[in-house]
Every structure is written in C-alpha cells, then in structure tokens.
Amino acid sequence: MRLSAAGHVVSSGRAPTPAPIARGLDSVLAIESRRFGPSLASRSEPLPSGGSGPADLVIDLTGTAARRGTRVLTLEFCGRSTFPAGMAEMLASGRLPELAVRLDGVTVARGRPMVSDRLWLSRSCNDLLAGAIALVAQSVARFSAGELAPIADSPAPILRNGGFVRHYLPFFCRGLVDRAVQKLRLGRRPFYWQVAYRLIDGPGVAETGQLDGKPFTVLPDDGQRFYADPFVIERDGRHYLFVEEFPYATGRGVIAVAELGDGGSFGVPRVVLEEKHHLSYPQVFAYAGEIFMIPESAAARELVLYRAAQFPDRWVRDTVLMTDKDFNDATLLESDGRFWLLGTERFGYGSASDTMAVYSAPSLRGPWVAHALNPIAVDHSAARPGGAFIDQGDALVLPVQNGSRAYGGGLGLMRLDRLDDFDVRFAPPRPIGPGPAWARAGIHTLNRAGNLEVVDSAG
C-alpha cells in the first residue's frame, strides 16, 4: 500500500517454499491480541499472486528469490533474514533493534526504529515492522531516483542458542519491573516534564555540546500540570517563552506564554491557544513583519500556521498547511528562497519519533509537497527535531531527539549537509553531554533567543 501510494507499480508473489513456523511468537501475539487487537506481526491472509512479468526491482522478504538478471532488495532484522528470527535475536542479545537493506547482497540502507513499549511484544513488533516498512519505502524511492548507494557494513554478532520463548520470558519480566519502578517514581503523575531557562552571554549548549556553565532555573508548576517544548522569541526588547502546558485534568496540551520580568525570571505562563485536540511544540517565529506559530497538532492529523492577531495573547488560524497527516514536531527552515518543514511522520503504526520526512513549498503558506526521497531516515536518535534550526555561521544545525532508550532520553546536534529537491543529508548527531548546569540526565528540547536559553526534560 505504501509503495503503491508513492506511485510505484507493485505486484506480489509467493515464496516457492513455506515460511518457517514461529509458534512461540504467534502464541504470544495471540494472547496479547485479546487486549490490543492484531499486530503488524500477526499472520495475515495470503497476498494475491500476480504480475509474473519483468520487474525493475524484486523485494524479497523470504530469502528465496532467484535473481535472473533482476535487482533484488532484501531486508534483515537484527542480522537475520526473517522477522521472527530477528525478533528472537533482539530479545536474546538485549540490543536495540537494527534493520539493514541489501541490494544484491550489498548494504544500501540501515534503520534503527524506536521501541516505545518494552513490555508488550505486540507493540514492540509494531514499532519494529513499521520501521521496516519505512526503510523499504526509503530504499525503493532512492533506487527509483538512482540514489541508492552502498554504505558501510557493520554486522552485529549473532547469538544462536535457545528458542523464542526462552528469550521472551526474561524480556517480559524486565518490562514488568521497569514499569513498576516508573510508576513508583512518578507517583500519581502519569508523566512529568520540566522547562528550565537561563540568561547567558557567549557560547551556550549548542556551541559547547555540554550542559555546563551557568545553572538553569526551573519554570515552576503547581503539580496539576507540566510544561514542555519551550520556544523563545525576542520582540521589542522583551523575551517571551512559549510552552506546551499539559493539565492532567484534561489530558490535552495547550499553548501558554510567559514574559521575562525585569528581575530575570518568568511568571506563571498563561494559556493563549487551545483547540479541541492536543497541541505542543509551539514553534514561534517572525516573518514579513508578523509573528507566526506552527504548533504540533498531529492528533488532529493536520498542520496549521497560526498568526498573532495581537501578540502574544491572541492567535488566529491563518493557513492549514497539511491535512490527513500524522506529522510531528515540524520544524521550519527558509533556505535560498524556499521553505522547508522537517519532522517525523507516522503511518498508523510504530513510533512517532523515528521516521524523518521533509516537505517544501515556494512560500510559507504553501503549497507543501513531500520530498521525492521520503522517508529521509529511520533512526531513533536522528529523526525527530528537538528545537529550531541553529545558525552557527558556517553551518546549520538541527537539534534532534535521542529516543534510543526512551522518549525524551536525550538530544543531539546534527549538521545539515545538503537540502534540496534531489536529496537531504545530515552529518551524524553529536550528543549533548550532561553537566552541572542541569541536574537531569539529558534534555528533550533546546532553543535560544539572544541571551535567553531554554531546555526541557522528563522529570
């Protein structure tokens, strides 16, 4: 379905030999389906056969396709050629999931999906398989554009002892323990974030790559809500802090603002934008003499440009930029007269944080079109933006969230090497290290305006 929607002509065929039986995996998924319904890993109805004529590319998910002059794309799960074996390998080794795509045996793409639930196997399978689908879609797009090139190969060692159930039981028990510890630590709050800020002169986190220097001051909350996703803007000599405010009573994010006082501290944020759906990531910016905001509204499957009718308190819907898309933390960049939005996109299943997509437009209000090579990356630590682009003179840097172990687990700085209609390339992210300026293990968002720097992290 994904490949057909992208304009490719697709047909399917059955393997000459039956797939190996994965009784352990099937049994666990059948039990969990009573609570969650079917998983992407559940056995499907047989696909219709057809299209036995010539093809430009064969995608072999069985390891049995004969080449006969046609290029063959294969997919590996944690070093194994089938999904059940790859899932067993992931559970046995305790490693993070890793995918590899090979073209005629040569590695051409790698993916690292984010596993957001380490307790329920069906959800872990959904995350892993959604990443696999995205990686295949990326590889086919690059193959069609003539951009699919070999990359460095780094195969991981494979464990070969034991069956699926033997490795699944410790995985499930560890998940139960981790879930219990998390609930005890958070108490009555289902989750908790904190925003912090500081006034500094000279280099900040983006320059040093460390949480050092002058300590951050926590933006206090009343225990009935949390604040997250801080963005700042300087206007007429004053600094304004925009945040997601999440009241536990409603379970729905709204956008709030606070103004920096003469004493160098923020008061209690006040709500300035509320919808019937969740709002977050209030990216606020000035353009053509006006102030705009593009908050995340993936829960409504839309992306909306808001304009300040009376800054900072009154906002109106200016333009709906995208509809029917689960697009997360869309981050704006204007470059060479063209506008770009980079974020993560989810297609029903999987994580909202590991699959980067890029859209562009000739003007701020659109029309916005998908990049020909979407998805750009499938990577739990190099896909979801964590703040506005940072101009460092000779380079543009994008803060990206590191969800390798958990959502909000850290942030990296990723240099943009190429952005045009033909390709999008970044350097590997440089992790932001811990330091005495912020007591948390890592941060989730980084922004700065003038001498005001803001961060947030899970409490």
Side-chain angles (χ1 to χ4, degrees):
M1 290 172 60
R2 285 278 296 276
L3 294 175
S4 296
H8 303 288
V9 179
V10 182
S11 62
S12 61
R14 299 192 180 112
T17 55
I21 296 174
R23 290 191 179 92
L25 175 62
D26 289 344
S27 298
V28 174
L29 292 177
I31 294 171
E32 292 189 7
S33 67
R34 300 170 187 172
R35 176 171 182 175
F36 301 114
S39 162
L40 280 177
S42 302
R43 290 189 177 269
S44 67
E45 295 297 325
L47 295 174
S49 296
S52 58
D56 297 315
L57 181 68
V58 172
I59 302 171
D60 175 23
L61 302 179
T62 68
T64 60
R67 290 186 172 83
R68 296 179 182 174
T70 303
R71 312 299 300 275
V72 177
L73 204 69
T74 55
L75 179 64
E76 288 185 358
F77 299 86
C78 302
R80 300 297 187 100
S81 59
T82 64
F83 172 72
M87 177 56 73
E89 178 66 30
M90 187 183 80
L91 299 181
S93 64
R95 295 193 300 265
L96 295 173
E98 185 163 326
L99 308 171
V101 170
R102 299 181 187 274
L103 181 63
D104 297 335
V106 178
T107 305
V108 291
R110 287 198 174 276
R112 300 189 297 171
M114 178 177 174
V115 177
S116 53
D117 192 324
R118 299 180 186 275
L119 175 60
W120 301 108
L121 185 67
S122 56
R123 292 187 170 183
S124 297
C125 289
N126 284 346
D127 289 343
L128 185 56
L129 286 171
I133 293 169
L135 192 65
V136 169
Q138 177 202 71
S139 300
V140 172
R142 288 190 170 273
F143 177 84
S144 299
E147 295 287 342
L148 195 58
I151 62 173
D153 197 7
S154 55
I158 293 178
L159 304 178
R160 299 185 181 276
N161 55 329
F164 179 85
V165 174
R166 173 185 172 183
H167 301 306
Y168 165 72
L169 292 176
F171 164 84
F172 183 73
C173 292
R174 286 194 303 269
L176 282 176
V177 172
D178 291 344
R179 189 66 55 88
V181 170
Q182 184 181 35
K183 287 186 176 181
L184 287 173
R185 183 170 60 87
L186 294 176
R188 294 182 179 180
R189 301 189 190 206
F191 36 83
Y192 182 48
W193 296 80
Q194 286 185 309
V195 166
Y197 61 93
R198 67 179 180 180
L199 292 168
I200 59 171
D201 295 315
V205 175
E207 290 74 32
T208 66
Q210 299 286 331
L211 290 165
D212 53 11
K214 183 178 180 181
F216 285 90
T217 298
V218 173
L219 182 69
D221 62 73
D222 59 4
Q224 304 302 309
R225 69 205 71 239
F226 69 73
Y227 301 114
D229 290 355
F231 279 79
V232 286
I233 188 170
E234 191 174 359
R235 182 74 169 172
D236 298 327
R238 309 292 294 180
H239 285 94
Y240 298 87
L241 169 65
F242 287 82
V243 294
E244 171 201 342
E245 177 180 325
F246 190 94
Y248 293 111
T250 64
R252 186 179 71 247
V254 298
I255 305 303
V257 69
E259 184 178 350
L260 188 68
D262 294 335
S265 61
F266 285 102
V268 177
R270 59 186 184 275
V271 176
V272 294
L273 181 60
E274 185 171 4
E275 298 280 14
K276 294 180 180 179
H277 51 266
H278 178 81
L279 295 174
S280 61
Y281 202 75
Q283 182 181 190
V284 59
F285 58 94
Y287 175 72
E290 296 190 278
I291 305 295
F292 295 92
M293 185 198 305
I294 305 179
E296 183 200 301
S297 51
R301 295 188 62 82
E302 67 176 11
L303 188 68
V304 179
L305 175 70
Y306 291 83
R307 176 173 46 83
Q310 183 179 337
F311 184 84
D313 295 292
R314 192 161 67 87
W315 297 83
V316 296
R317 289 168 68 99
D318 184 284
T319 308
V320 178
L321 305 180
M322 298 183 195
T323 58
D324 197 28
K325 291 187 183 297
D326 188 342
F327 198 47
N328 301 271
D329 292 355
T331 301
L332 183 72
L333 176 66
E334 183 184 4
S335 177
D336 296 328
R338 191 162 183 85
F339 292 82
W340 302 85
L341 284 168
L342 294 85
T344 53
E345 190 166 2
R346 177 165 53 179
F347 294 86
Y349 288 91
S351 170
S353 301
D354 62 6
T355 304
M356 177 181 282
V358 173
Y359 289 79
S360 66
S363 72
L364 178 60
R365 293 177 172 88
W368 290 88
V369 296
H371 197 282
L373 298 184
N374 278 350
I376 302 303
V378 180
D379 195 329
H380 50 58
S381 59
R384 185 164 180 164
F389 274 91
I390 301 165
D391 188 349
Q392 295 187 337
D394 60 344
L396 282 172
V397 173
L398 178 66
V400 285
Q401 300 176 28
N402 185 342
S404 56
R405 291 295 176 184
Y407 178 69
L411 202 68
L413 300 169
M414 198 160 67
R415 186 186 72 242
L416 178 63
D417 288 339
R418 180 177 178 182
L419 179 62
D420 54 40
D421 290 333
F422 303 101
D423 207 353
V424 181
R425 295 191 182 275
F426 286 90
R430 176 170 59 101
I432 293 174
W438 182 235
R440 308 295 182 267
I443 58 175
H444 166 258
T445 310
L446 171 67
N447 281 296
R448 182 172 178 175
N451 62 346
L452 175 63
E453 189 174 49
V454 292
V455 298
D456 75 336
S457 71

